[in-house]
């Protein structure tokens, strides 16, 4: 019998992100994965800018960037003819957004990098260990989850303060909770997904998208820094209504029929899987001391690349809240804000992924307009993903006391920018100062720095405070000056003299006030410690 603070079920990107976040906070957690070995399939293939900022905070972004590529070219084919060649040049990094582009990287590679980072932080994944059952004592004080794990035929009882189900679309945790997985499954829409070698195809720098008769599609996507490609082919039943098995033979036949070419050769499948179109989600993310995250809470179309990213952001939202509650710095009610902030995001993602799926598989009567429809749609999609940062403006943890005509609001992602920590120090980035498990307080100008410094003592190590000043400005003794050498920080935050900003541990602005009173910061910190939450 063992005791742990958090039991995480599932070692995909969601579970690994949460484990890295908790472990760096000194929270004891176990990650159990029923599969005996790490999965090898490419599956999710896209990391969006906000996820890259998250992985930067967790110390994994450099390895992700090295293993990934920006895929900015897509060649659309209507059978054998090339319909059009879409190129959207990568956006250059900016002072406010160091990761402006979505990156192509197989999900198995993302998992491997996160496992490596978890090991560096002192954690590990227990493969071949499955959750058999659990029961929860949901009392706020002294409650716990009692779980039964099984490995190699041997069972173990584990007591945890909280349990997080990050165990995918067929989640054992969700089923044991008895939660409805509301939505729809379209049995007539299925696809084969595989990792294969491809010969005879030019333009290895591009994603190839074929549209064929009967509404069928074929996608061949090159794997960064590898010889393999991810192949996606829609499936069709035979004359008797039987669906084909996921096989290399079917995939080869689909390539020949849908491309109109016999010179493209597929070999050496590393992974094959069949996919059915599901659009489902739960209506609650929390049941007492048990939480759901990632595909365990929501599944949808792969179009748009939302799945892995939404799960990573679920975990990132939950991690800092669990950390504060388990260390006694906030009330258990803070954990209710996980659902109120993330559930609306899941609803929006499901609607958007369904819209993108419909746009990528248009009915036959619009085929003459395909060139114009698809070019415009996919160009907007790629550019739009650069600013794909969900906001928490409606959250009870977001307090906006600023001019709402400005572009930045409480609940938005905090911008990055160059700063100098001390007059003689080298330039660094705000994101470097945000990195870690703490809140960050920025006060613009030196006049309120001393008042802010006194107020931060309530959260101790959980909060770092800086006075953002122009070159040559002095701050009171005891305050930490953050020089804004080019005025970009003040501009990026729309700040005035005395503007006060609180950045949450997950990089979102919690408080934005242009004319704060002495009690503004303490009152906001009280809001974190004892939040009032509203159900979605």
């Amino acid at each position: 019998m063992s005791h742990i603070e958090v039991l995480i079920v599932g070692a995909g990107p969601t579970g690994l992100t949460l484990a890295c976040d908790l472990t760096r906070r000194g929270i004891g957690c176990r990650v159990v994965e029923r599969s005996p070995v790490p999965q090898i399939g490419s599956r999710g293939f896209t990391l969006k800018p906000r996820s890259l900022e998250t992985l930067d905070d967790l110390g994994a972004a450099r390895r992700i960037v090295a293993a990934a590529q920006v895929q900015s070219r897509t060649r659309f084919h209507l059978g054998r003819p090339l319909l059009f060649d879409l190129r959207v040049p990568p956006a250059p990094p900016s002072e406010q957004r160091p990761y402006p582009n979505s990156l192509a990287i197989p999900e198995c590679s993302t998992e491997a990098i996160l496992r490596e980072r978890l090991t560096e932080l002192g954690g590990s994944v227990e493969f071949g260990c499955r959750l058999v059952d659990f029961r929860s004592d949901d009392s706020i004080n002294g409650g716990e989850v009692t779980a039964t794990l099984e490995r190699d035929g041997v069972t173990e009882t584990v007591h945890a303060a909280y349990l997080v189900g990050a165990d995918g679309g067929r989640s054992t945790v969700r089923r044991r909770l008895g939660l409805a997985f509301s939505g729809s499954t379209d049995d007539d829409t299925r696809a084969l997904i595989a990792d294969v070698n491809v010969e005879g195809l030019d333009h290895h720098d591009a994603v190839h998208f074929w549209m064929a008769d009967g509404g069928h599609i074929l996608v061949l996507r090159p794997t960064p820094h590898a010889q393999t490609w991810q192949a996606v082919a829609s499936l069709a039943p035979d004359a008797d209504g039987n669906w084909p098995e996921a096989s290399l033979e079917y995939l080869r036949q689909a390539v020949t029929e849908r491309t109109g070419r016999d010179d493209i050769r597929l070999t050496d499948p590393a992974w094959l899987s069949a996919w059915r179109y599901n659009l489902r989600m739960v209506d609650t993310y929390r049941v007492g001391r048990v939480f759901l995250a990632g595909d365990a809470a929501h599944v949808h179309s792969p179009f748009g690349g939302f799945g892995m990213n939404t799960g990573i952001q679920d975990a990132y939202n939950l991690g800092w809240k669990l950390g504060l509650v388990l260390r006694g710095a906030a009330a258990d009610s803070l954990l209710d804000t996980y659902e109120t902030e993330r559930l609306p995001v899941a609803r929006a993602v499901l609607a958007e992924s369904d819209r993108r799926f419909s746009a990528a598989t248009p009915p036959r009567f619009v085929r003459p307009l395909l060139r114009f429809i698809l070019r415009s749609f996919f160009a907007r999609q790629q550019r739009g993903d650069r600013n794909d940062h969900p906001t928490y403006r409606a959250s009870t943890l977001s307090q906006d006391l600023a001019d709402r005509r400005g572009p930045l609001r409480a609940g938005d992602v905090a911008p990055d920018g160059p700063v100098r920590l001390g007059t003689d120090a080298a330039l660094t980035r705000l994101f470097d100062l945000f990195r870690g498990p703490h809140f960050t307080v920025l006060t613009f100008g030196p006049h309120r720095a001393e008042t802010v410094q006194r107020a931060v003592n309530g959260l101790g190590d959980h909060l770092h405070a800086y006075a953002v000043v122009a070159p040559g400005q002095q701050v009171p003794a005891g305050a930490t000056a953050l020089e804004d050498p080019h005025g970009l920080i003040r501009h990026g935050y729309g700040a005035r003299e005395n503007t006060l900003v609180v950045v949450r541990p997950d990089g979102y602005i919690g408080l934005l006030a242009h004319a704060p009173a002495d009690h503004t910061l303490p009152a906001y910190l009280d809001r974190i410690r004892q939040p009032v939450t509203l159900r979605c």
Side-chain angles (χ1 to χ4, degrees):
M1 185 179 298
S2 62
H3 295 261
I4 198 72
E5 289 179 293
V6 181
L7 176 62
I8 302 171
V9 182
T14 302
L16 290 169
T17 297
L18 180 60
C20 287
D21 200 6
L22 292 176
T23 303
R24 69 171 179 164
R25 297 173 188 279
I27 301 296
C29 63
R30 287 180 64 177
V31 187
V32 297
E33 168 58 53
R34 67 181 304 155
S35 174
V37 295
Q39 66 102 355
I40 61 172
S42 57
R43 303 178 192 269
F45 215 91
T46 302
L47 280 175
K48 295 179 181 288
R50 182 59 193 151
S51 292
L52 293 169
E53 292 172 0
T54 297
L55 298 175
D56 181 293
D57 180 37
L58 297 178
R62 289 185 180 179
R63 276 168 279 193
I64 291 288
V65 171
Q69 285 180 341
V70 178
Q71 288 183 344
S72 56
R73 183 180 184 187
T74 304
R75 292 172 63 83
F76 289 85
H77 310 263
L78 191 58
R80 189 178 184 92
L82 176 67
L83 192 62
F84 63 90
D85 193 337
L86 175 65
R87 304 185 192 216
V88 179
S94 69
E95 300 289 2
Q96 286 74 38
R97 290 284 170 256
Y99 302 103
N101 302 295
S102 292
L103 296 183
I105 180 171
E107 186 171 317
C108 55
S109 298
T110 299
E111 289 182 5
I113 291 170
L114 284 171
R115 282 196 305 273
E116 181 182 16
R117 181 59 182 145
L118 179 59
T119 300
E120 293 170 351
L121 292 167
S124 63
V125 176
E126 300 176 43
F127 287 102
C129 185
R130 71 182 184 94
L131 175 72
V132 177
D133 199 2
F134 64 87
R135 66 180 186 275
S136 179
D137 171 6
D138 297 333
S139 59
I140 294 177
N141 296 315
E144 65 177 12
V145 179
T146 303
T148 302
L149 305 178
E150 186 272 332
R151 179 165 44 192
D152 298 329
V154 179
T155 61
E156 174 191 5
T157 299
V158 176
H159 297 278
Y162 297 99
L163 184 151
V164 180
D167 49 343
R170 298 178 180 177
S171 170
T172 298
V173 176
R174 185 187 67 243
R175 292 177 179 179
R176 293 289 182 184
L177 290 173
L179 294 178
F181 209 30
S182 303
S184 62
T185 296
D186 186 351
D187 283 322
D188 294 329
T189 303
R190 307 188 188 190
L192 186 158
I193 306 177
D195 295 332
V196 294
N197 287 340
V198 177
E199 300 175 6
L201 188 63
D202 296 328
H203 305 289
H204 286 202
D205 63 333
V207 177
H208 294 260
F209 190 112
W210 281 270
M211 306 194 71
D213 290 339
H216 288 297
I217 64 170
L218 170 71
V219 181
L220 294 177
R221 180 198 304 264
T223 303
H225 313 298
Q227 297 299 313
T228 58
W229 294 62
Q230 184 190 71
V232 181
S234 56
L235 293 171
D238 61 22
D240 297 325
N242 298 315
W243 290 90
E245 298 291 331
S247 67
L248 180 62
E249 290 69 28
Y250 181 91
L251 187 56
R252 284 172 168 168
Q253 179 183 349
V255 169
T256 300
E257 292 176 350
R258 297 173 195 182
T259 66
R261 296 170 55 176
D262 58 10
D263 59 329
I264 301 176
R265 186 166 179 263
L266 274 57
T267 62
D268 303 318
W271 170 73
L272 289 158
S273 180
W275 168 83
R276 286 193 308 168
Y277 183 73
N278 284 291
L279 199 69
R280 295 183 178 275
M281 66 178 290
V282 295
D283 61 5
T284 182
Y285 277 26
R286 180 186 190 185
V287 179
R289 291 182 168 270
V290 182
F291 300 85
L292 295 176
D295 286 355
H298 42 75
V299 293
H300 42 79
S301 158
F303 281 85
F306 292 106
M308 177 168 55
N309 294 276
T310 307
I312 287 172
Q313 294 308 312
D314 285 348
Y316 196 47
N317 184 285
L318 180 59
W320 69 271
K321 297 171 182 178
L322 281 170
L324 285 183
V325 171
L326 285 166
R327 288 296 171 261
D332 179 87
S333 57
L334 177 64
L335 298 173
D336 291 335
T337 66
Y338 166 60
E339 176 181 306
T340 58
E341 291 186 341
R342 293 303 300 167
L343 194 146
V345 173
R347 287 187 182 132
V349 164
L350 262 65
E352 177 63 12
S353 71
D354 188 47
R355 186 180 73 86
R356 293 192 183 192
F357 178 79
S358 298
T361 55
R364 297 189 63 176
F365 68 83
V366 299
R367 291 297 172 89
L369 303 175
L370 276 179
R371 179 191 302 271
F372 308 102
I373 294 173
L374 290 179
R375 181 188 289 274
S376 174
F377 175 78
F378 280 94
R380 289 199 311 271
Q381 173 183 319
Q382 290 189 35
R383 294 189 179 98
D385 282 349
R386 295 171 181 171
N387 298 307
D388 186 25
H389 294 72
T391 70
Y392 303 137
R393 290 183 177 183
S395 171
T396 56
L397 300 184
S398 300
Q399 187 175 14
D400 207 319
L401 303 176
D403 185 350
R404 296 196 174 190
R405 291 174 297 179
L408 198 66
R409 301 271 297 280
D412 294 348
V413 175
D416 194 12
V419 291
R420 183 174 281 115
L421 190 58
T423 56
D424 298 325
L427 280 176
T428 186
R429 298 165 41 209
L430 272 182
F431 276 13
D432 292 330
L433 302 181
F434 295 164
R435 187 180 294 114
H438 54 271
F439 288 79
T440 304
V441 176
L442 304 176
T443 180
F444 287 80
H447 306 298
R448 303 191 63 85
E450 187 175 1
T451 302
V452 167
Q453 196 64 44
R454 288 198 304 268
V456 304
N457 295 331
L459 283 179
D461 292 339
H462 296 293
L463 199 151
H464 297 175
Y466 303 95
V468 181
V469 295
Q473 279 188 310
Q474 301 297 313
V475 299
T480 303
L482 200 61
E483 186 180 286
D484 182 12
H486 311 301
L488 294 175
I489 304 300
R490 181 179 289 264
H491 176 76
Y493 284 80
R496 307 167 186 171
E497 197 71 8
N498 294 332
T499 290
L500 178 66
V501 178
V502 176
V503 180
R504 303 176 354 172
D506 59 352
Y508 280 84
I509 295 175
L511 169 68
L512 181 61
H514 284 328
D518 288 348
H519 67 271
T520 300
L521 180 57
Y524 179 75
L525 299 181
D526 286 341
R527 180 181 292 215
I528 296 294
R529 296 188 192 96
Q530 298 283 345
V532 176
T533 57
L534 302 173
R535 300 288 293 180
C536 294

